[in-house]
């Protein structure tokens, strides 16, 4: 009976570990977004993270008779990249990002994490 319980506990631990990995650390997608950098800030109550927003060119229809700009909210893990972005507000930038399934509080509030700046214009 002890052997069966041990096996069940091990299977549950492995399944929980795999679920945690795929939910929070598996890179679901990555790419490059371009647009005007609206802001990049350092904020948070317990876990201070770098958060930003990119405004992309073009408009989409939000509801009947209204238009809304494309916004790309993102988090930044690397302090050097965040410092560079803080000096680029209002400029057109291309950002390389990784998309995760769910955010982690110490990584940021967005599932999109910018890891490098491709270009600044």
């Amino acid at each position: 009976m002890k052997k069966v319980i041990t096996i069940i506990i091990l299977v549950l631990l492995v399944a929980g570990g795999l679920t945690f990995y795929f939910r929070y650390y598996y890179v679901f997608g990555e790419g490059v977004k371009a647009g005007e950098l609206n802001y990049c800030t350092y904020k948070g109550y317990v876990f201070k993270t770098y958060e930003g927003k990119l405004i992309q060119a073009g408009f989409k229809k939000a509801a009947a008779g209204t238009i809304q700009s494309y916004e790309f909210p993102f988090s930044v893990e690397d302090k050097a990249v965040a410092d560079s972005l803080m000096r680029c507000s209002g400029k057109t930038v291309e950002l390389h990002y990784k998309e995760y399934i769910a955010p982690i509080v110490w990584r940021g509030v967005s599932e999109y994490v910018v890891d490098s700046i491709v270009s600044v214009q």
Side-chain angles (χ1 to χ4, degrees), residues 93-108:
V93 295
E94 289 183 15
L95 304 175
H96 184 269
Y97 69 94
K98 293 180 180 177
E99 181 182 358
Y100 296 92
I101 295 171
I104 299 179
V105 294
W106 55 84
R107 185 171 57 204

Side-chain angles (χ1 to χ4, degrees), residues 14-31:
V14 169
L18 286 173
T19 301
F20 185 82
Y21 170 77
F22 280 107
R23 183 157 173 82
Y24 299 109
Y25 286 99
Y26 176 73
V27 178
F28 180 68
E30 61 182 294

Side-chain angles (χ1 to χ4, degrees), residues 7-79:
I7 291 173
I8 290 173
I9 290 173
L10 284 175
V11 167
L12 290 175
L13 285 174
V14 169
L18 286 173
T19 301
F20 185 82
Y21 170 77
F22 280 107
R23 183 157 173 82
Y24 299 109
Y25 286 99
Y26 176 73
V27 178
F28 180 68
E30 61 182 294
V32 175
K33 294 265 187 181
E36 184 179 322
L37 182 63
N38 192 5
Y39 64 83
C40 185
T41 60
Y42 185 62
K43 62 183 179 178
Y45 292 111
V46 177
F47 295 100
K48 298 278 190 189
T49 59
Y50 295 98
E51 305 299 325
K53 188 174 284 187
L54 190 72
I55 307 297
Q56 297 177 281
F59 295 95
K60 67 180 177 181
K61 189 173 182 178
T66 64
I67 56 175
Q68 178 182 341
S69 64
Y70 289 108
E71 295 180 346
F72 176 65
F74 61 87
S75 300
V76 182
E77 279 186 299
D78 188 6
K79 182 179 179 351

